[in-house]
Amino acid sequence: MNDKISIMKNPAYPALLQQIGQLLQSGREKVAYTVNNILVQTYWQIGQYIVEYEQNGNEKSIFGSKLIDSLSADLTMAYGKGFSRSNLMYMRKFYLRFPISETLSHQLTWSHYLEILKADNELEIGFYTKQTEIEKWSVNLMQQI
């Protein structure tokens, strides 16, 4: 116990705690950023696979919604939550609205894109994407707009 008291009385100890805390915070932010980018890219690719399989690259579906229903059931069974019919439809729409993956913003999360994809036309989608990136809008703020 005396060793702990003497360590804490050392004037350099608070700075050590602060440095470690900043390092941990920075590391956590980098992990979250990396995970988000991988998630967004993965969902974009899932959308691409669906469009290419179901539609052969066309905007209109050959199979209707039967493929989405089957994928939803099978992916949920195999991988758990996240593959509802609605979410798969958004992944499909995500790919159709952003067909070039390099145009995706690394600043936006999947939740941001879900809100943006609720817009009805390309002009709105472009506006909300750019404004969210520039103004760093939160998902909560976007839901209020």
Side-chain angles (χ1 to χ4, degrees), residues 30 47 75 115 127 129:
K30 288 176 185 175
L75 290 171
E115 291 303 314
F127 171 78
T129 301

Side-chain angles (χ1 to χ4, degrees), residues 3-93:
D3 289 339
K4 183 173 179 164
I5 292 171
S6 63
I7 289 171
M8 292 175 63
K9 286 186 177 183
N10 183 327
Y13 184 72
L16 174 64
L17 276 177
Q18 182 180 10
Q19 287 174 320
I20 292 171
Q22 288 172 342
L23 181 64
L24 287 170
Q25 183 63 32
S26 173
R28 288 175 179 166
E29 288 171 5
K30 288 176 185 175
V31 166
Y33 176 82
T34 301
V35 167
N36 173 65
N37 283 330
I38 292 169
L39 182 67
V40 167
Q41 285 294 324
T42 299
Y43 286 172
W44 182 90
Q45 285 181 306
I46 291 170
Q48 179 186 28
Y49 290 168
I50 291 169
V51 168
E52 288 177 356
Y53 179 89
E54 180 184 43
Q55 301 170 292
N56 218 9
N58 299 317
E59 190 160 335
K60 292 291 181 186
S61 169
I62 296 169
F63 300 108
S65 65
K66 292 176 185 165
L67 177 66
I68 299 294
D69 292 339
S70 294
L71 281 173
S72 176
D74 292 338
L75 290 171
T76 299
M77 179 78 72
Y79 301 103
K81 293 181 183 181
F83 300 101
S84 66
R85 183 181 194 292
S86 172
N87 213 20
L88 289 173
M89 292 298 288
Y90 273 114
M91 290 176 204
R92 181 181 161 277
K93 186 175 181 180

Side-chain angles (χ1 to χ4, degrees), residues 112 115 137-145:
H112 283 107
E115 291 303 314
W137 288 350
S138 69
V139 175
N140 288 339
L141 176 63
M142 293 178 71
Q143 290 170 339
Q144 295 170 13
I145 295 174

